[in-house]
Amino acid sequence: MLMRKVTKVGAMQRLARQWRQDGLRIGFVPTMGFLHDGHLSLVRRARQIVGPKGMVVLSIYVNPMQFAPTEDLAAYPRDLARDTELCRKEAVDVLFLPMNEEMYPADHGREFSTAVVEEKISRCMEGASRPTHFRGVTTVVAKLFNMVLPDVAVFGAKDFQQGAVIQRMVRDLNFPLKVVVAPTLRESDGLAMSSRNKYLQGDERRQALVLSRCLRQTRERVRKEGVVAAARLRDAVAAMVSAEPAARLDYVEFFDPETLVAVEAVEPGTQMAMATFVGRTRLIDNIKL
Ligand code: AMP
Protein backbone atom coordinates (compact mmCIF):
# COMPACT_ATOMS: atom_id res chain seq x y z
CA MET A 1 0.00 0.00 0.00
CA LEU A 2 1.14 3.52 -0.73
CA MET A 3 2.30 5.67 2.13
CA ARG A 4 0.08 8.67 2.80
CA LYS A 5 1.36 12.03 3.94
CA VAL A 6 -1.09 13.81 6.22
CA THR A 7 -0.59 17.37 7.41
CA LYS A 8 -4.05 18.32 8.70
CA VAL A 9 -5.13 17.34 12.21
CA GLY A 10 -8.74 16.78 11.12
CA ALA A 11 -7.67 14.48 8.28
CA MET A 12 -5.48 12.44 10.65
CA GLN A 13 -8.33 12.05 13.14
CA ARG A 14 -10.80 11.01 10.41
CA LEU A 15 -8.39 8.37 9.12
CA ALA A 16 -7.71 7.05 12.61
CA ARG A 17 -11.43 6.87 13.45
CA GLN A 18 -12.09 4.98 10.21
CA TRP A 19 -9.31 2.49 10.93
CA ARG A 20 -10.66 1.93 14.40
CA GLN A 21 -14.16 1.35 13.00
CA ASP A 22 -12.64 -1.17 10.60
CA GLY A 23 -11.01 -2.97 13.52
CA LEU A 24 -7.45 -2.08 12.51
CA ARG A 25 -4.86 -1.59 15.25
CA ILE A 26 -2.87 1.64 15.20
CA GLY A 27 0.82 1.80 16.11
CA PHE A 28 2.36 5.23 16.58
CA VAL A 29 5.97 6.47 16.56
CA PRO A 30 6.30 10.18 17.39
CA THR A 31 9.60 11.76 16.29
CA MET A 32 11.24 15.07 15.52
CA GLY A 33 12.54 13.71 12.20
CA PHE A 34 16.05 13.53 10.74
CA LEU A 35 15.47 9.81 11.05
CA HIS A 36 18.13 7.25 11.89
CA ASP A 37 18.09 3.51 12.54
CA GLY A 38 16.99 4.11 16.15
CA HIS A 39 13.74 5.66 14.90
CA LEU A 40 13.33 2.92 12.29
CA SER A 41 13.73 0.23 14.96
CA LEU A 42 10.69 1.78 16.68
CA VAL A 43 8.74 1.57 13.42
CA ARG A 44 9.62 -2.12 13.15
CA ARG A 45 8.54 -2.67 16.73
CA ALA A 46 5.24 -0.91 16.06
CA ARG A 47 4.70 -3.04 12.96
CA GLN A 48 5.48 -6.20 14.91
CA ILE A 49 2.85 -5.25 17.49
CA VAL A 50 0.00 -4.18 15.17
CA GLY A 51 0.69 -6.88 12.57
CA PRO A 52 0.74 -6.68 8.75
CA LYS A 53 -2.88 -5.47 8.60
CA GLY A 54 -2.43 -2.85 11.30
CA MET A 55 -1.62 0.79 10.62
CA VAL A 56 1.71 2.38 11.52
CA VAL A 57 1.85 6.15 11.83
CA LEU A 58 5.13 8.03 12.20
CA SER A 59 4.91 11.70 13.03
CA ILE A 60 7.59 14.30 12.46
CA TYR A 61 7.14 17.46 14.44
CA VAL A 62 9.91 19.63 15.86
CA ASN A 63 7.94 20.82 18.85
CA PRO A 64 8.82 24.43 19.75
CA MET A 65 7.24 24.04 23.20
CA GLN A 66 9.91 21.57 24.38
CA PHE A 67 12.85 23.81 23.46
CA ALA A 68 13.99 26.63 25.73
CA PRO A 69 14.65 29.97 23.97
CA THR A 70 18.44 29.36 24.23
CA GLU A 71 18.26 25.86 22.75
CA ASP A 72 18.66 24.48 19.21
CA LEU A 73 15.10 24.76 17.81
CA ALA A 74 16.13 26.76 14.73
CA ALA A 75 19.23 24.64 14.07
CA TYR A 76 17.53 21.26 14.65
CA PRO A 77 18.47 19.10 11.62
CA ARG A 78 15.75 18.46 9.05
CA ASP A 79 15.62 16.41 5.85
CA LEU A 80 12.04 15.67 4.92
CA ALA A 81 12.89 14.15 1.51
CA ARG A 82 15.21 11.60 3.07
CA ASP A 83 12.83 10.93 6.00
CA THR A 84 9.97 10.34 3.54
CA GLU A 85 12.02 7.79 1.61
CA LEU A 86 13.07 5.97 4.79
CA CYS A 87 9.44 5.77 5.95
CA ARG A 88 8.35 4.43 2.57
CA LYS A 89 11.00 1.72 2.75
CA GLU A 90 9.84 0.76 6.24
CA ALA A 91 6.24 0.47 5.01
CA VAL A 92 4.98 3.24 7.28
CA ASP A 93 1.28 3.73 6.42
CA VAL A 94 0.97 7.38 7.31
CA LEU A 95 3.66 10.03 7.67
CA PHE A 96 1.97 12.64 9.84
CA LEU A 97 3.43 16.14 9.54
CA PRO A 98 1.35 18.49 11.66
CA MET A 99 1.92 22.20 11.17
CA ASN A 100 2.78 24.85 13.77
CA GLU A 101 -0.30 26.94 12.94
CA GLU A 102 -2.57 24.03 13.83
CA MET A 103 -0.50 22.72 16.74
CA TYR A 104 -0.20 26.04 18.53
CA PRO A 105 -2.69 28.49 17.08
CA ALA A 106 -1.87 32.08 17.88
CA ASP A 107 -5.04 33.77 16.59
CA HIS A 108 -6.17 36.80 18.53
CA GLY A 109 -8.16 35.86 21.57
CA ARG A 110 -8.15 32.10 20.98
CA GLU A 111 -4.49 31.24 21.16
CA PHE A 112 -3.19 28.00 22.58
CA SER A 113 -3.20 28.13 26.40
CA THR A 114 -3.41 24.63 27.89
CA ALA A 115 -0.57 22.38 29.04
CA VAL A 116 -0.14 18.86 30.40
CA VAL A 117 2.37 18.71 33.25
CA GLU A 118 3.75 15.67 35.06
CA GLU A 119 4.71 16.87 38.52
CA LYS A 120 7.00 14.28 40.04
CA ILE A 121 9.37 12.29 37.87
CA SER A 122 9.86 15.06 35.33
CA ARG A 123 11.57 17.37 37.83
CA CYS A 124 14.96 15.65 38.10
CA MET A 125 17.73 15.09 35.53
CA GLU A 126 16.51 16.41 32.15
CA GLY A 127 13.82 18.36 33.97
CA ALA A 128 16.38 20.01 36.27
CA SER A 129 18.67 20.97 33.37
CA ARG A 130 15.80 21.91 31.05
CA PRO A 131 12.97 23.14 33.32
CA THR A 132 10.38 23.73 30.57
CA HIS A 133 11.25 20.67 28.49
CA PHE A 134 8.90 17.98 29.77
CA ARG A 135 5.96 20.36 29.92
CA GLY A 136 6.42 20.71 26.17
CA VAL A 137 6.89 16.97 25.69
CA THR A 138 3.83 15.83 27.66
CA THR A 139 1.66 18.51 26.07
CA VAL A 140 2.64 17.67 22.51
CA VAL A 141 2.48 13.92 23.05
CA ALA A 142 -1.00 14.23 24.59
CA LYS A 143 -2.05 16.28 21.57
CA LEU A 144 -0.55 13.78 19.14
CA PHE A 145 -2.30 10.90 20.93
CA ASN A 146 -5.60 12.74 20.45
CA MET A 147 -4.86 13.11 16.75
CA VAL A 148 -3.53 9.62 15.92
CA LEU A 149 -5.71 7.66 18.40
CA PRO A 150 -3.12 4.89 18.71
CA ASP A 151 -3.54 1.49 20.37
CA VAL A 152 0.17 1.44 21.03
CA ALA A 153 2.83 4.16 21.01
CA VAL A 154 6.51 3.22 20.78
CA PHE A 155 9.27 5.31 22.38
CA GLY A 156 13.02 4.75 22.63
CA ALA A 157 14.91 3.88 25.82
CA LYS A 158 17.56 6.39 24.67
CA ASP A 159 15.32 9.03 26.28
CA PHE A 160 14.73 6.98 29.42
CA GLN A 161 13.16 9.70 31.53
CA GLN A 162 10.90 10.76 28.66
CA GLY A 163 9.61 7.19 28.36
CA ALA A 164 8.91 7.09 32.10
CA VAL A 165 7.16 10.48 32.05
CA ILE A 166 4.97 9.46 29.10
CA GLN A 167 4.08 6.17 30.78
CA ARG A 168 3.12 8.07 33.91
CA MET A 169 1.01 10.57 31.94
CA VAL A 170 -0.81 7.76 30.11
CA ARG A 171 -1.55 6.03 33.39
CA ASP A 172 -2.52 9.17 35.32
CA LEU A 173 -4.76 10.58 32.58
CA ASN A 174 -6.17 7.21 31.45
CA PHE A 175 -5.15 7.47 27.82
CA PRO A 176 -6.58 4.29 26.26
CA LEU A 177 -3.33 3.05 24.77
CA LYS A 178 -0.23 1.07 25.60
CA VAL A 179 3.24 2.61 25.78
CA VAL A 180 6.17 0.46 24.69
CA VAL A 181 9.76 1.51 25.33
CA ALA A 182 12.19 -0.13 22.89
CA PRO A 183 15.98 -0.52 23.32
CA THR A 184 18.55 2.13 22.36
CA LEU A 185 20.25 1.59 19.00
CA ARG A 186 23.95 2.46 18.90
CA GLU A 187 26.60 3.09 16.28
CA SER A 188 29.14 0.24 16.04
CA ASP A 189 31.54 2.13 18.34
CA GLY A 190 28.91 2.54 21.07
CA LEU A 191 27.64 6.10 20.49
CA ALA A 192 23.86 6.16 20.96
CA MET A 193 22.19 7.14 17.69
CA SER A 194 20.73 10.63 17.83
CA SER A 195 19.70 13.28 15.34
CA ARG A 196 21.91 15.65 17.31
CA ASN A 197 25.05 13.60 16.54
CA LYS A 198 25.06 15.53 13.27
CA TYR A 199 26.21 18.61 15.21
CA LEU A 200 29.47 16.92 16.29
CA GLN A 201 32.46 18.42 14.50
CA GLY A 202 35.93 17.01 13.96
CA ASP A 203 37.30 15.34 17.06
CA GLU A 204 34.03 15.86 18.97
CA ARG A 205 32.64 12.70 17.39
CA ARG A 206 35.42 10.68 19.02
CA GLN A 207 35.15 12.52 22.33
CA ALA A 208 31.40 11.84 22.39
CA LEU A 209 32.25 8.18 22.98
CA VAL A 210 32.96 9.16 26.57
CA LEU A 211 29.24 8.79 27.38
CA SER A 212 28.86 5.16 26.34
CA ARG A 213 32.31 4.41 27.80
CA CYS A 214 31.28 5.80 31.20
CA LEU A 215 28.09 3.75 31.16
CA ARG A 216 29.86 0.55 30.13
CA GLN A 217 32.71 0.90 32.61
CA THR A 218 30.33 1.76 35.45
CA ARG A 219 28.25 -1.29 34.66
CA GLU A 220 31.34 -3.52 34.66
CA ARG A 221 32.42 -2.08 37.99
CA VAL A 222 29.00 -2.55 39.62
CA ARG A 223 28.78 -6.09 38.29
CA LYS A 224 32.21 -6.83 39.75
CA GLU A 225 31.91 -5.02 43.09
CA GLY A 226 28.19 -5.65 43.79
CA VAL A 227 27.22 -2.53 45.72
CA VAL A 228 29.08 0.76 45.14
CA ALA A 229 28.43 4.22 46.61
CA ALA A 230 26.90 6.54 44.02
CA ALA A 231 29.33 9.29 45.08
CA ARG A 232 32.33 7.15 44.11
CA LEU A 233 30.84 6.26 40.73
CA ARG A 234 29.99 9.90 40.13
CA ASP A 235 33.60 10.92 40.82
CA ALA A 236 34.90 8.31 38.40
CA VAL A 237 32.52 9.50 35.68
CA ALA A 238 33.44 13.15 36.28
CA ALA A 239 37.12 12.27 35.92
CA MET A 240 36.54 10.37 32.66
CA VAL A 241 34.52 13.21 31.18
CA SER A 242 37.02 15.89 32.20
CA ALA A 243 39.76 13.91 30.41
CA GLU A 244 38.07 14.88 27.11
CA PRO A 245 38.88 18.52 26.34
CA ALA A 246 35.60 19.27 24.52
CA ALA A 247 33.37 17.44 27.04
CA ARG A 248 31.59 18.94 30.06
CA LEU A 249 29.42 16.83 32.35
CA ASP A 250 25.92 18.22 32.90
CA TYR A 251 24.70 15.48 35.26
CA VAL A 252 25.11 11.82 36.07
CA GLU A 253 22.45 10.12 38.18
CA PHE A 254 21.86 6.69 39.67
CA PHE A 255 18.23 5.90 40.36
CA ASP A 256 15.43 3.39 40.66
CA PRO A 257 14.16 2.70 37.10
CA GLU A 258 10.51 2.70 38.24
CA THR A 259 10.32 5.67 40.61
CA LEU A 260 13.33 7.62 39.27
CA VAL A 261 14.30 8.25 42.90
CA ALA A 262 18.08 8.65 43.28
CA VAL A 263 19.92 5.93 45.22
CA GLU A 264 23.04 6.26 47.37
CA ALA A 265 23.99 2.59 47.11
CA VAL A 266 24.23 1.52 43.48
CA GLU A 267 23.73 -2.14 42.64
CA PRO A 268 23.02 -4.28 39.58
CA GLY A 269 19.60 -3.21 38.23
CA THR A 270 20.04 0.44 39.23
CA GLN A 271 19.49 2.81 36.28
CA MET A 272 22.27 5.23 35.33
CA ALA A 273 21.70 8.29 33.15
CA MET A 274 23.97 11.12 32.11
CA ALA A 275 24.00 14.29 30.04
CA THR A 276 27.22 15.75 28.68
CA PHE A 277 28.02 18.68 26.47
CA VAL A 278 30.54 17.85 23.75
CA GLY A 279 31.47 21.20 22.32
CA ARG A 280 28.10 22.92 22.07
CA THR A 281 26.17 19.68 21.55
CA ARG A 282 24.27 18.27 24.51
CA LEU A 283 24.10 14.46 24.45
CA ILE A 284 22.27 12.06 26.78
CA ASP A 285 22.60 8.34 27.33
CA ASN A 286 21.59 5.78 29.96
CA ILE A 287 21.98 2.15 30.91
CA LYS A 288 20.62 -0.43 33.33
CA LEU A 289 23.59 -1.38 35.47
P1 AMP B 1 13.51 12.23 18.59
O1 AMP B 1 13.25 12.33 17.12
O2 AMP B 1 14.95 12.38 18.94
O3 AMP B 1 12.59 13.08 19.41
O4 AMP B 1 13.17 10.73 19.00
C1 AMP B 1 11.95 10.15 18.65
C2 AMP B 1 11.85 8.80 19.31
O5 AMP B 1 12.95 7.99 18.90
C3 AMP B 1 11.92 8.88 20.84
O6 AMP B 1 11.02 7.94 21.40
C4 AMP B 1 13.36 8.51 21.11
O7 AMP B 1 13.54 7.95 22.39
C5 AMP B 1 13.61 7.48 20.02
N1 AMP B 1 15.04 7.34 19.78
C6 AMP B 1 15.94 8.32 19.58
N2 AMP B 1 17.19 7.83 19.44
C7 AMP B 1 17.07 6.47 19.59
C8 AMP B 1 18.00 5.39 19.57
N3 AMP B 1 19.30 5.58 19.38
N4 AMP B 1 17.52 4.13 19.74
C9 AMP B 1 16.19 3.93 19.95
N5 AMP B 1 15.28 4.91 19.97
C10 AMP B 1 15.69 6.17 19.80
Side-chain angles (χ1 to χ4, degrees), residues 18 49 121-123 128 143 157 191 203 218 235 252 265 282:
Q18 186 62 55
I49 296 168
I121 61 174
S122 62
R123 298 271 199 248
K143 284 166 69 65
L191 180 67
D203 194 51
T218 305
D235 288 348
V252 54
R282 187 172 179 280

Side-chain angles (χ1 to χ4, degrees), residues 74-93:
Y76 199 82
R78 296 159 209 248
D79 189 343
L80 185 57
R82 183 169 169 278
D83 288 351
T84 303
E85 209 35 53
L86 288 170
C87 287
R88 240 189 260 288
K89 280 195 191 129
E90 288 300 327
V92 165
D93 295 290

Side-chain angles (χ1 to χ4, degrees), residues 122-132 134 161 250-251 282:
S122 62
R123 298 271 199 248
C124 57
M125 297 188 281
E126 287 304 287
S129 291
R130 309 176 68 192
T132 60
F134 281 121
Q161 190 179 10
D250 183 358
Y251 67 78
R282 187 172 179 280

Side-chain angles (χ1 to χ4, degrees), residues 71 124-130 133-134 158-161 196 207-208 210-212 214-215 234 237-238 241-242 246-255 272-279 281-287:
E71 291 178 348
C124 57
M125 297 188 281
E126 287 304 287
S129 291
R130 309 176 68 192
H133 174 65
F134 281 121
K158 154 79 173 15
D159 300 274
F160 184 88
Q161 190 179 10
R196 289 191 167 100
Q207 295 188 43
V210 72
L211 284 97
S212 54
C214 284
L215 300 178
R234 207 172 280 126
V237 166
V241 172
S242 63
R248 179 170 62 80
L249 184 63
D250 183 358
Y251 67 78
V252 54
E253 293 291 346
F254 302 91
F255 56 94
M272 169 180 180
M274 63 190 290
T276 298
F277 284 93
V278 181
T281 306
R282 187 172 179 280
L283 300 175
I284 59 172
D285 202 349
N286 72 90
I287 199 171

Side-chain angles (χ1 to χ4, degrees), residues 35-111:
L35 303 179
H36 50 67
D37 281 342
H39 296 118
L40 301 181
S41 74
L42 307 185
V43 169
R44 284 171 212 143
R45 184 66 178 274
R47 172 62 65 198
Q48 201 181 34
I49 296 168
V50 301
K53 290 204 181 112
M55 290 295 171
V56 173
V57 178
L58 181 140
S59 66
I60 297 179
Y61 182 62
V62 183
N63 172 35
M65 194 174 169
Q66 71 191 64
F67 289 79
T70 53
E71 291 178 348
D72 58 341
L73 174 63
Y76 199 82
R78 296 159 209 248
D79 189 343
L80 185 57
R82 183 169 169 278
D83 288 351
T84 303
E85 209 35 53
L86 288 170
C87 287
R88 240 189 260 288
K89 280 195 191 129
E90 288 300 327
V92 165
D93 295 290
V94 165
L95 176 54
F96 180 40
L97 307 163
M99 295 174 303
N100 281 334
E101 306 82 67
E102 255 198 302
M103 290 300 270
Y104 300 113
D107 338 9
H108 305 292
R110 48 188 198 94
E111 66 271 17

